Amino acid sequence: MCAAIAGLQDFRSEGPPADIGTYQLPCSVMVFQYTFSGTVYVCAIRSGVRGWVLVNHLPSLAANDATVIQSAINALTAGRTWKEKVVLQGDFIFIKPIYVAFYITLEILGNIKADANFQTANIGPPPAEPGLRRLIVGSNLQAANPQPIYIDIIGGTLDGNKANQPAPPQANDGFLIFFFNGININIKNVKGINSKAYGMDLDNCAN
């Protein structure tokens, strides 16, 4: 099944011109949707030395989309000091946030929408602000993840689905993007709609 994902063909060991030794994606990891036996899946793949490598795939549901995308982000080179790129191709629904930490370009070619009753997260250094809703979070400082540095978020539409979210527990609930204590954060050509509060919060960030 994996070799047929999204119509991709595995031409390894078939000789030129199909087999060029290294299969090149336009990014380090790509996330996309495909249909197999009537079920829509969300799939993450990365470039490998002798072809693309499956990172994760699950049925495309609100409970799964963010999980697979987080797997794609986590599949980037550990401890890197250079930017690697994750491309999201398609329209995704999130029940929980995704976390981006360091040296990453996240390109969104589609839409990310908050599911109804989007899950909350504790965000920020202790004492954390409890019960806040965010689609994209710069690192998860509560989990002692690295400081968010050298991050690009490019393109796409972020939809907070305001009409289907419960009343916020506090006035500043419902940002689409949140970064705390970030350095060199670049957000470009991102459209934000239907946020419960504000589109973006870059708290204590610097170039």
Side-chain angles (χ1 to χ4, degrees):
M1 179 181 76
C2 294
I5 290 175
L8 293 176
Q9 293 262 326
D10 189 345
F11 290 114
R12 289 174 290 181
S13 303
E14 295 296 324
D19 181 10
I20 59 171
T22 301
Y23 183 85
Q24 296 292 335
L25 294 173
C27 52
S28 300
V29 186
M30 178 179 288
V31 181
F32 57 91
Q33 292 162 319
Y34 70 98
T35 300
F36 183 80
S37 296
T39 299
V40 178
Y41 290 85
V42 56
C43 176
I45 60 173
R46 62 178 175 84
S47 293
V49 174
R50 296 287 293 169
W52 57 267
V53 178
L54 181 66
V55 174
N56 196 1
H57 78 290
L58 293 168
S60 186
L61 306 169
N64 293 337
D65 285 1
T67 296
V68 173
I69 291 170
Q70 192 66 58
S71 297
I73 294 168
N74 295 344
L76 299 176
T77 304
R80 62 193 176 277
T81 55
W82 59 91
K83 284 183 182 176
E84 293 185 350
K85 186 175 185 179
V86 175
V87 172
L88 309 182
Q89 174 73 59
D91 297 329
F92 305 98
I93 298 178
F94 283 9
I95 192 64
K96 59 184 178 182
I98 58 171
Y99 298 93
V100 291
F102 60 95
Y103 290 100
I104 179 174
T105 295
L106 182 68
E107 184 173 5
I108 304 168
L109 303 176
N111 304 299
I112 297 174
K113 183 177 181 178
D115 193 36
N117 297 311
F118 184 81
Q119 291 177 7
T120 61
N122 290 338
I123 298 169
E129 297 178 276
L132 302 184
R133 294 173 178 84
R134 310 285 190 263
L135 286 178
I136 300 174
V137 178
S139 185
N140 182 1
L141 299 180
Q142 285 303 107
N145 281 353
Q147 179 185 26
I149 61 172
Y150 296 98
I151 296 171
D152 301 329
I153 301 176
I154 301 173
T157 297
L158 304 181
D159 184 347
N161 195 9
K162 177 179 180 179
N164 293 300
Q165 303 302 323
Q170 50 187 298
N172 65 345
D173 184 30
F175 297 140
L176 303 176
I177 298 174
F178 176 82
F179 281 86
F180 178 81
N181 201 26
I183 297 175
N184 283 304
I185 309 301
N186 175 37
I187 299 171
K188 181 179 179 181
N189 296 332
V190 178
K191 181 179 180 180
I193 60 174
N194 300 321
S195 176
K196 195 74 174 179
Y198 304 103
M200 181 168 53
D201 182 8
L202 304 181
D203 188 358
N204 198 39
C205 293
N207 290 329

